[in-house]
Amino acid sequence: MEPLGLVVHGKAEPFSAALRSLVNNPRYSDVCFVVGQERQEVFAHRCLLACRCNFFQRLLGTEPGPGVPSPVVLSTVPTEAFLAVLEFLYTNSVKLHRHSVLEVLTAAVEYGLEELRELCLQFVVKVLDVELVCEALQVAVTFGLGPLQERCVAFIEAHSQEALRSQGFLELSAAALLPLLRSDKLCVDEAGLVRAARSWARVGAAVLERPVAEVAAPVVKELRLALLAPAELSALEEQNRQEPLIPAEQIVEAWKCHALRRGDEARGAPCRRRRGTLPREHHRFLDLSFK
């Protein structure tokens, strides 16, 4: 009986380095991609991409005809992110950078590369900071990455003041802003949160060319106006007349909480204090201690 064979392995480093040298190398390549808004040419090898990734197997499934094949246009993925994807497909490793990891993560999700997606998620968690967190939250919400969304929300809860002043906060979608406004653990007072929501809606209104109140409509219902003191609520009401942001009936409901001055009637999310809520005299009537 013939003895069983034994699989032996050579050194991985030279093999990986040799394959890495083929990334975006026109020599021996048989497919050219035109990538990103800058339409940069990137060279690759059909057989390698097809055997490593089902997305490319479907994309490159038809045999090229005679002559020079037409380039494959991938205009939505940035060149740096696409080259990182190729590096991973060729070598099963990739060098990630803070400034581009979310673009690589997006490509990994869209191309169905689960291992690369997990590597990107681990890296994002390690480098998460005030400037990156809102952009990461947007990616998490867009692609349904629940664990990353939870990490981002928790980070913003702990660094609320800084995160709400970041450019990334102003660029959040309504769907990404909602879990923040629903949180009891934000370390920010409601007056500051109202100002942040107004700034966010103004930016969205300018970009979308829509009224501020229309842009704000999906999220402002989560603002807890009853936590504001009467003077603050009056000032907000006046500002709201000049620049509509919050539905009038929502402000009326806040006034009702003040008029009732009873916790059993006012209990609920619109009156529940957040971690960063500053104390006001009327809060003692709400019976809503933070837990």
Side-chain angles (χ1 to χ4, degrees), residues 97-153:
H97 302 274
R98 179 192 169 282
H99 70 274
S100 60
V101 63
L102 294 176
E103 294 170 342
V104 180
L105 173 59
T106 297
V109 172
E110 292 179 341
Y111 298 163
L113 298 170
E114 294 186 7
E115 188 176 5
L116 178 57
R117 181 194 66 185
E118 291 305 311
L119 292 173
C120 290
L121 288 172
Q122 293 170 18
F123 184 84
V124 170
V125 170
K126 290 180 180 178
V127 301
L128 205 59
D129 60 16
V130 168
E131 295 303 319
L132 185 66
V133 66
C134 288
E135 188 179 352
L137 174 60
Q138 183 62 64
V139 171
V141 170
T142 300
F143 294 107
L145 303 174
L148 178 60
Q149 178 176 328
E150 292 174 4
R151 294 297 292 266
C152 290
V153 170

Side-chain angles (χ1 to χ4, degrees), residues 167 170-172 199-212 215:
Q167 182 64 30
L170 297 176
E171 296 172 356
L172 286 174
S199 297
W200 171 85
R202 284 171 175 167
V203 171
V207 172
L208 300 174
E209 298 182 342
R210 291 161 50 193
V212 168
V215 172

Side-chain angles (χ1 to χ4, degrees), residues 67 119 152 171 178 191 257 278 287-288 291:
L119 292 173
C152 290
E171 296 172 356
L178 276 173
C257 289
L278 298 176
D287 190 25
L288 297 170
K291 296 181 180 180

Side-chain angles (χ1 to χ4, degrees), residues 40-54:
Q40 182 172 328
E41 288 188 337
V42 176
F43 300 94
H45 307 80
R46 287 174 177 267
C47 62
L48 199 152
L49 298 187
C51 74
R52 288 277 285 150
C53 176
N54 289 335

Side-chain angles (χ1 to χ4, degrees), residues 161 164 169-170 188-202 223 232 236 239 245:
Q161 300 281 356
L164 267 56
F169 173 80
L170 297 176
V188 62
D189 185 63
E190 209 65 23
L193 202 54
V194 171
R195 288 192 295 270
R198 187 179 293 277
S199 297
W200 171 85
R202 284 171 175 167
L223 295 172
E232 295 172 307
L236 174 62
Q239 186 179 15
L245 173 74

